[in-house]
């Protein structure tokens, strides 16, 4: 974080090592040292001269012998006045009246529920990794919160048991730390102290970043870990390879970047940017012939091993804590497979208590779609329509669907084709991998069927029905082959709960499949089931959830005998961590939120110019409200900075093509580096949203905004350099330029002060006040009091 001209409020250095005897660097050589040692203050020079002199005498006396210090340990703690000041200022703005409002704000309704479930050890499902919620739950649990509040709706008042400060503490702390980290990143790319401080101030003075740092929301933690990861990557690449500092910075960088991913999956974009920066550094090292091929290869392998091992440990460790904490069944566990549910305390094992384990002829079963949407194979007495809207004809057979609720019509009976009775036999006739069966619908007594007729919603697949024998021209095709995908675990025996099965239609080799398409009104808006010849998809995987044997009043003894053999345990079953981990990763990818259109949703092209905000909270007795809006001056300036940087780049490239080198090599390298980090970071975090098919909101832009602000500072600094080089009277022009920057910053301050009422929500507003704040017609500020 240190550089030329910086002052430290305090500095503590603890060194435990044998000092290497040093020689004066030869003329023209480049010393290997970190930035702190290259930029020492003038007051250190006499001491340095004395030290060098004494070392020269030591060298002569020791006959140029050196002491090995490979096992040295050096710990430096620096407190920089700029970083401390930025942190304190950010801390004040983030923690000012942080317990207001004393009610649920926007997405606190979701994340607050997750935190409460953590504290009650109750399993929940979320499409994002758990680190952010774990950190908030840890802070709330540390002050004794039990998770009793239910977070029923936005605006609900917190009761006296809810520690509002503790719940909002971690996001606010991360938001406070972001400003000094931005300052340090700008210093790391060799920007001046003034412009670096300006970068930290812009982070503090952005109203959107302020708003998102004050509530139980994830973005401030995401930005903190991402920015810290990028900072430590830059320091890591400047450290002496294989030194303690090098290993330490690499570990912190990998842990921070992975932590960003563990807060929200979009943190992967920052991880990707960091890998690009590291790859660029390796590429730039290749022309250096002083470094051998073996050395460069070893260095690359060491970096890869360090980053991958630390990243894997952090990511897996986060989920290990997640599963260790959430061991009770809850409202979301039906998203998981039956085996997962049965491993939870009070979960499916208690519902299926006393079920027989092995499926056989005469078994009554429910078949659950294993991956993706939770639904059960279902049929009812209604038939497919004779003609569909597109004019295609159907079989007019009994409908088969996938139904998202437990229902009596979900029950099927497993039958051997060569047996007429549906009851279990005196001798168990167990079903194994590769056996051919029929499935008879329990209520209608009609068998599962398929034939070469196009499915109603997926014409490339074939229709699945329950066969009605009134259509002589369409014979019954009722045979299905059982394929156990995890048969090794059960020795190819079909088990309830744990066995994952694919049912393949014998006549057509098509597999029973949940297509994901919703049927129209004639299908009661249930989900389509079809048969697909492309068998190898996860939507063709099913498992038996509920299981019992078909009974008969004269066969009670037989039933008792069968039930006494193998049973599903009545206690929670054991499921390994890796099984839970792999299943949850798959579920998170498959269960991406597909929210309906929201009145405050927005499109990516609207974000840079902030065309739409988000209402977070409004006071029930006045127009005091919290509304997500950024600092308009910062956002528009940052967007303009992208155009300026690209213009500079095109100008320089054309000039260099004409062999006009306006920038010195070091200046050109720094200009390219800034663009390749900050502009690339912006594009990596912004462009993917144009290809996302789900409801998006303005806060999705905040990670891209972080890099846009960094690029803005970089462009402001480069403009000064360009004026010095291309203007005949640079002093006058620079003075004018700096006056413009000061006036612009005054505009930033004014906008922040004017719109902070929408970030804090503490100010009572009249209807006229709200309308005056509405600079754009698309800003849906709320007025409900005259």
């Amino acid at each position: 974080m240190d550089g030329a001209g910086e002052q430290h409020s305090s500095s503590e250095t603890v060194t435990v090592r044998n000092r290497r005897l040093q020689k004066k660097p030869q003329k023209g050589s480049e010393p290997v040292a970190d930035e702190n040692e290259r930029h020492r203050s003038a007051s250190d020079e006499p001491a340095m001269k004395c030290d060098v002199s004494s070392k020269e005498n030591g060298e002569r006396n020791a006959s140029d012998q050196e002491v090995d210090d490979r096992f040295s340990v050096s710990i430096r703690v620096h407190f920089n006045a700029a970083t401390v000041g930025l942190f304190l200022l950010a801390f004040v703005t983030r923690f000012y009246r942080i317990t207001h409002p004393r009610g649920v704000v926007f997405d606190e309704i979701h994340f607050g529920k997750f935190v409460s479930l953590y504290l009650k050890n109750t399993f929940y499902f979320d499409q994002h990794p758990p680190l952010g919620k774990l950190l908030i739950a840890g802070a709330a649990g540390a002050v004794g919160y039990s998770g009793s509040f239910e977070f029923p709706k936005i605006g609900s008042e917190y009761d006296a048991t809810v520690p509002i400060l503790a719940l909002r503490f971690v996001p606010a702390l991360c938001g406070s730390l972001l400003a000094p980290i931005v300052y340090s990143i700008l210093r790391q790319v060799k920007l001046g102290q003034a412009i670096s401080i300006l970068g930290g101030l812009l982070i503090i003075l952005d109203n959107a970043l302020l708003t998102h740092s004050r509530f139980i929301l994830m973005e401030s933690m995401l930005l903190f870990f991402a920015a810290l990861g990028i900072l430590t990557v830059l320091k890591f690449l400047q450290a002496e390879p294989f030194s303690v500092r090098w290993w330490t910075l690499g570990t912190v960088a990998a842990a921070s970047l992975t932590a960003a991913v563990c807060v929200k999956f979009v943190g992967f974009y920052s991880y990707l940017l960091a890998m690009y920066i590291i790859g660029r550094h390796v590429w730039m090292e290749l022309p250096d012939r002083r470094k051998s091929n073996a050395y460069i290869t070893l260095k690359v392998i060491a970096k890869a091993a360090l980053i991958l091992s630390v990243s894997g440990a952090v990511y897996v460790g986060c989920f290990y804590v997640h599963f260790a904490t959430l061991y009770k069944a809850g409202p979301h566990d039906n998203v998981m497979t039956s085996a997962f549910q049965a491993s939870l305390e009070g979960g499916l094992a208690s519902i299926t208590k006393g079920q027989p384990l092995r499926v056989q002829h005469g078994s009554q079963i429910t078949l659950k779609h294993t991956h993706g949407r939770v639904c059960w194979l279902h049929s009812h007495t209604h038939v497919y329509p004779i003609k569909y809207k597109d004019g295609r004809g159907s079989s007019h057979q009994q409908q088969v669907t996938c139904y998202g609720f437990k229902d009596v019509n979900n029950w099927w009976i497993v039958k051997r084709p060569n047996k007429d009775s549906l009851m279990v036999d005196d001798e168990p006739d167990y079903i194994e991998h590769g056996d051919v069966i029929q499935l008879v619908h329990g209520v209608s007594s009609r068998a599962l069927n398929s034939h070469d007729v196009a499915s109603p919603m997926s014409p490339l697949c074939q229709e699945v029905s329950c066969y009605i024998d009134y259509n002589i021209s369409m014979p019954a095709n009722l045979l299905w082959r059982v394929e156990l995908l995890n048969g090794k675990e059960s020795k190819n025996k079909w088990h309830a709960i744990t066995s994952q099965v694919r049912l393949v239609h014998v006549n057509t080799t098509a597999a029973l499949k949940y297509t994901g398409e919703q049927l129209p009104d004639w299908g009661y808006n249930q989900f389509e089931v079809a048969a697909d010849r492309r068998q190898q998809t996860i939507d063709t995987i099913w498992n038996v959830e509920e299981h019992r044997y078909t009974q008969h009043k004269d066969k009670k003894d037989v039933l008792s005998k069968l039930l006494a053999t193998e049973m599903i345990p009545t206690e929670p079953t054991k499921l390994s961590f890796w099984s839970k981990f792999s299943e949850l990763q798959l579920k998170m990818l498959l269960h991406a939120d597909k929210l309906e259109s929201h009145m405050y949703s927005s499109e990516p092209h609207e974000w840079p110019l902030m065309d739409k905000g988000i209402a977070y909270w409004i006071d029930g007795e006045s127009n005091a409200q919290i509304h997500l809006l950024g600092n308009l001056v910062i956002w528009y300036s940052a967007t303009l900075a992208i155009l300026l940087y690209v213009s500079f780049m095109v100008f320089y490239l054309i000039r260099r093509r004409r062999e006009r080198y306006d920038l010195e090599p070091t200046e050109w390298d720094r200009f390219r580096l800034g663009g390749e980090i900050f502009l690339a970071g912006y594009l990596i975090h912004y462009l993917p949203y144009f290809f996302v098919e789900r409801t998006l909101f303005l806060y999705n832009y905040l990670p891209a905004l972080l890099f846009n602000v960094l690029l803005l500072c970089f462009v402001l600094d480069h403009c000064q350099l360009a004026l010095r080089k291309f203007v005949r009277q640079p002093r006058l022009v620079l003075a004018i330029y700096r006056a413009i920057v000061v006036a612009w910053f005054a505009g930033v301050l004014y906008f922040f002060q004017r719109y902070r009422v929408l970030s804090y929500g503490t100010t009572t507003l009249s209807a006229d006040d709200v309308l005056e704040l509405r600079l754009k017609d698309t800003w849906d500020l709320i007025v409900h009091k005259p």
Side-chain angles (χ1 to χ4, degrees):
M1 296 184 193
D2 305 320
E6 297 182 18
Q7 296 180 355
H8 300 84
S9 58
S10 65
S11 176
E12 178 185 350
T13 304
V14 181
T15 307
V16 183
R17 63 179 178 179
N18 296 320
R19 297 187 178 275
R20 184 190 300 273
L21 298 177
Q22 300 179 354
K23 295 181 181 181
K24 290 184 178 180
Q26 296 179 358
K27 184 176 181 180
S29 64
E30 182 178 353
V32 181
D34 62 14
E35 187 181 356
N36 298 326
E37 294 173 347
R38 289 199 300 268
H39 300 282
R40 297 185 183 271
S41 62
S43 61
D44 293 334
E45 291 179 1
M48 291 173 62
K49 291 179 180 178
C50 293
D51 189 43
V52 171
S53 177
S54 64
K55 288 181 179 179
E56 288 176 348
N57 293 332
E59 286 178 314
R60 288 192 293 269
N61 294 335
S63 301
D64 295 327
Q65 293 182 355
E66 295 184 350
V67 179
D68 188 359
D69 66 347
R70 287 175 296 175
F71 301 102
S72 64
V73 177
S74 178
I75 302 174
R76 290 186 176 91
V77 180
H78 295 288
F79 296 100
N80 177 264
T83 55
V84 172
L86 288 170
F87 170 73
L88 293 177
L89 181 58
F91 187 89
V92 170
T93 59
R94 271 58 184 169
F95 279 88
Y96 170 73
R97 297 192 64 179
I98 195 172
T99 58
H100 178 86
R102 298 191 61 85
V104 179
V105 175
F106 193 56
D107 275 349
E108 284 189 339
I109 190 174
H110 302 299
F111 299 122
K113 285 180 180 178
F114 296 151
V115 169
S116 294
L117 290 171
Y118 268 122
L119 297 173
K120 293 186 288 189
N121 306 114
T122 302
F123 181 81
Y124 75 87
F125 175 82
D126 184 31
Q127 66 173 17
H128 288 292
L131 180 59
K133 284 86 72 176
L134 273 171
L135 293 175
I136 296 175
V143 297
Y145 177 53
S146 62
S148 57
F149 190 73
E150 296 296 331
F151 294 86
K153 62 180 181 178
I154 297 175
S156 299
E157 289 292 322
Y158 290 122
D159 59 41
T161 65
V162 180
I164 303 176
L165 175 60
L167 287 169
R168 295 174 177 171
F169 176 82
V170 174
L173 179 63
C174 291
S176 303
L177 291 168
L178 185 60
I181 291 175
V182 165
Y183 164 85
S184 299
I185 291 174
L186 294 172
R187 293 296 287 157
Q188 202 65 31
V189 295
K190 307 299 188 296
L191 264 62
Q193 188 173 25
I195 201 72
S196 300
I197 292 174
L198 175 63
L201 290 175
L202 293 180
I203 296 298
I204 295 171
L205 297 174
D206 183 74
N207 302 72
L209 294 176
L210 170 63
T211 302
H212 249 266
S213 299
R214 290 174 46 80
F215 305 109
I216 312 173
L217 304 172
M218 299 293 109
E219 269 64 31
S220 64
M221 289 179 280
L222 169 66
L223 296 179
F224 164 73
F225 285 120
L228 180 61
I230 297 300
L231 172 62
T232 47
V233 162
L234 295 175
K235 288 179 173 287
F236 169 63
L237 296 177
Q238 293 182 5
E240 182 180 355
F242 306 109
S243 64
V244 174
R245 174 181 170 83
W246 188 82
W247 289 107
T248 302
L249 287 171
T251 300
V252 174
S256 300
L257 292 166
T258 310
V261 179
C262 290
V263 173
K264 273 193 169 184
F265 274 132
V266 293
F268 176 73
Y269 298 142
S270 300
Y271 197 99
L272 189 64
L273 174 64
M275 296 305 103
Y276 167 74
I277 295 171
I278 294 173
R280 179 189 185 278
H281 186 266
V282 173
W283 182 257
M284 300 300 290
E285 271 190 327
L286 292 180
D288 189 352
R289 302 302 296 272
R290 294 173 298 178
K291 299 175 182 177
S292 66
N293 293 341
Y295 173 82
I296 293 177
T297 302
L298 178 62
K299 189 175 173 183
V300 170
I301 293 174
K303 286 180 180 178
L306 175 64
I307 292 171
L308 292 177
S309 60
V310 172
S311 296
V314 171
Y315 190 79
V316 173
C318 180
F319 281 93
Y320 184 86
V321 176
H322 177 71
F323 289 132
T325 305
L326 306 180
Y327 55 84
K328 296 180 181 179
H332 297 157
D333 61 5
N334 64 351
V335 173
M336 312 304 291
T337 63
S338 301
F340 192 106
Q341 293 180 67
S343 70
L344 299 173
E345 182 181 302
L348 189 63
S350 63
I351 299 173
T352 59
K353 181 178 179 180
Q355 285 189 171
L357 177 64
R358 292 184 59 179
V359 178
Q360 66 160 309
H361 170 80
S363 288
Q364 296 181 18
I365 62 174
T366 61
L367 280 169
K368 182 182 179 183
H369 179 231
T370 302
H371 300 296
R373 177 175 288 274
V374 177
C375 60
W376 290 264
L377 187 67
H378 177 94
S379 185
H380 39 240
T381 56
H382 302 279
V383 297
Y384 290 108
I386 298 176
K387 293 283 186 181
Y388 299 124
K389 284 187 176 181
D390 58 4
R392 292 185 296 114
S394 77
S395 66
H396 203 48
Q397 298 277 321
Q398 181 171 305
Q399 297 175 16
V400 173
T401 66
C402 204
Y403 188 47
F405 301 92
K406 295 193 175 185
D407 186 85
V408 67
N409 281 308
N410 297 346
W411 285 93
W412 301 81
I413 302 174
V414 178
K415 178 182 179 298
R416 289 284 192 184
N418 59 346
K419 294 184 178 181
D420 295 328
S421 172
L422 297 178
M423 294 182 298
V424 294
D425 297 329
D426 292 339
E427 293 298 326
D429 185 5
Y430 295 126
I431 309 298
E432 300 183 1
H433 174 76
D435 286 356
V436 175
I437 64 168
Q438 294 176 344
L439 285 178
V440 179
H441 187 236
V443 173
S444 65
S445 298
R446 294 188 174 121
L448 190 69
N449 175 75
S450 187
H451 31 234
D452 192 14
V453 174
S455 189
M457 308 303 294
S458 305
L460 296 179
C461 299
Q462 62 193 40
E463 181 190 275
V464 172
S465 62
C466 279
Y467 185 72
I468 305 174
D469 59 5
Y470 58 64
N471 193 337
I472 301 174
S473 63
M474 189 171 289
N477 295 323
L478 310 178
L479 302 181
W480 299 83
R481 185 173 63 256
V482 175
E483 293 186 357
L484 301 179
L485 305 184
N486 57 344
K488 290 182 179 180
E489 300 175 6
S490 60
K491 298 181 180 179
N492 285 332
K493 314 298 183 185
W494 189 4
H495 286 179
I497 302 294
T498 57
S499 292
Q500 296 185 7
V501 61
R502 179 176 286 128
L503 296 173
V504 179
H505 192 237
V506 172
N507 297 78
T508 61
T509 70
L512 188 70
K513 177 183 178 181
Y514 159 82
T515 68
E517 299 294 332
Q518 194 166 12
L519 297 172
D521 291 342
W522 56 257
Y524 300 94
N525 302 116
Q526 297 174 15
F527 288 91
E528 180 188 45
V529 170
D532 193 344
R533 286 185 171 87
R534 297 169 296 179
Q535 300 177 9
Q536 307 301 319
T537 69
I538 59 174
D539 284 323
T540 61
I541 301 174
W542 305 80
N543 67 270
V544 173
E545 182 169 273
E546 296 180 77
H547 179 215
R548 62 191 181 211
Y549 289 140
T550 304
Q551 302 181 37
H552 190 275
K553 60 182 179 180
D554 297 327
K555 298 245 180 178
K556 290 184 179 179
D557 293 337
V558 175
L559 184 62
S560 298
K561 178 182 176 182
L562 292 170
L563 293 178
T565 53
E566 294 178 272
M567 295 294 174
I568 293 177
T570 57
E571 298 297 325
T573 58
K574 297 294 184 182
L575 193 65
S576 70
F577 164 76
W578 292 110
S579 296
K580 290 184 175 182
F581 176 78
S582 58
E583 179 179 332
L584 185 57
Q585 303 309 303
L586 182 61
K587 293 292 184 180
M588 288 192 295
L589 292 175
L590 295 176
H591 276 265
D593 276 348
K594 296 181 180 179
L595 299 176
E596 300 296 329
S597 180
H598 193 282
M599 66 177 298
Y600 290 107
S601 63
S602 53
E603 297 298 325
H605 68 270
E606 298 176 296
W607 297 341
L609 300 181
M610 203 168 58
D611 287 339
K612 200 169 188 179
I614 310 173
Y616 275 17
W617 174 87
I618 186 166
D619 189 285
E621 299 179 355
S622 70
N623 291 317
Q625 59 189 283
I626 296 170
H627 201 96
L628 184 69
L629 287 173
N631 190 311
L632 200 67
V633 179
I634 296 176
W635 286 45
Y636 276 54
S637 303
T639 302
L640 178 61
I642 297 172
L643 302 178
L644 286 175
Y645 182 86
V646 173
S647 299
F648 273 125
M649 178 62 77
V650 172
F651 172 75
Y652 289 138
L653 288 175
I654 293 174
R655 295 273 290 175
R656 292 173 76 85
R657 190 65 177 170
R658 297 289 296 171
E659 298 186 353
R660 299 282 185 174
Y661 301 100
D662 302 299
L663 300 179
E664 299 294 331
T666 54
E667 295 171 340
W668 172 245
D669 289 341
R670 193 183 74 164
F671 179 78
R672 288 178 53 201
L673 176 65
E676 291 181 8
I677 295 176
F678 302 145
L679 181 58
Y682 173 79
L683 296 177
I684 288 173
H685 286 82
Y686 177 51
L687 293 182
Y689 285 106
F690 285 93
F691 306 97
V692 172
E693 295 182 359
R694 63 181 176 87
T695 304
L696 299 171
F697 297 90
L698 183 64
Y699 61 74
N700 294 121
Y701 185 65
L702 295 182
L705 176 68
L706 171 64
F707 290 93
N708 205 356
V709 170
L710 290 166
L711 182 65
L712 170 61
C713 296
F714 190 84
V715 169
L716 289 174
D717 181 77
H718 187 76
C719 285
Q720 294 189 88
L721 176 64
L723 290 175
R724 291 192 189 99
K725 285 185 171 292
F726 300 116
V727 175
R728 293 183 179 181
Q729 296 181 334
R731 290 186 179 180
L732 176 61
V733 176
L734 279 173
I736 296 173
Y737 172 75
R738 288 167 182 165
I740 293 173
V741 171
V742 170
W744 165 80
F745 185 70
V748 171
L749 288 171
Y750 170 77
F751 194 96
F752 174 79
Q753 187 277 334
R754 178 174 171 78
Y755 281 86
R756 63 186 175 86
V757 297
L758 299 180
S759 297
Y760 292 113
T762 57
T763 305
T764 299
L765 301 173
S766 66
D768 291 338
D769 293 333
V770 175
L771 293 176
E772 287 181 6
L773 292 171
R774 189 181 177 189
L775 295 183
K776 289 188 171 187
D777 293 337
T778 52
W779 289 5
D780 296 323
L781 303 181
I782 299 175
V783 178
H784 73 172
K785 296 287 183 180

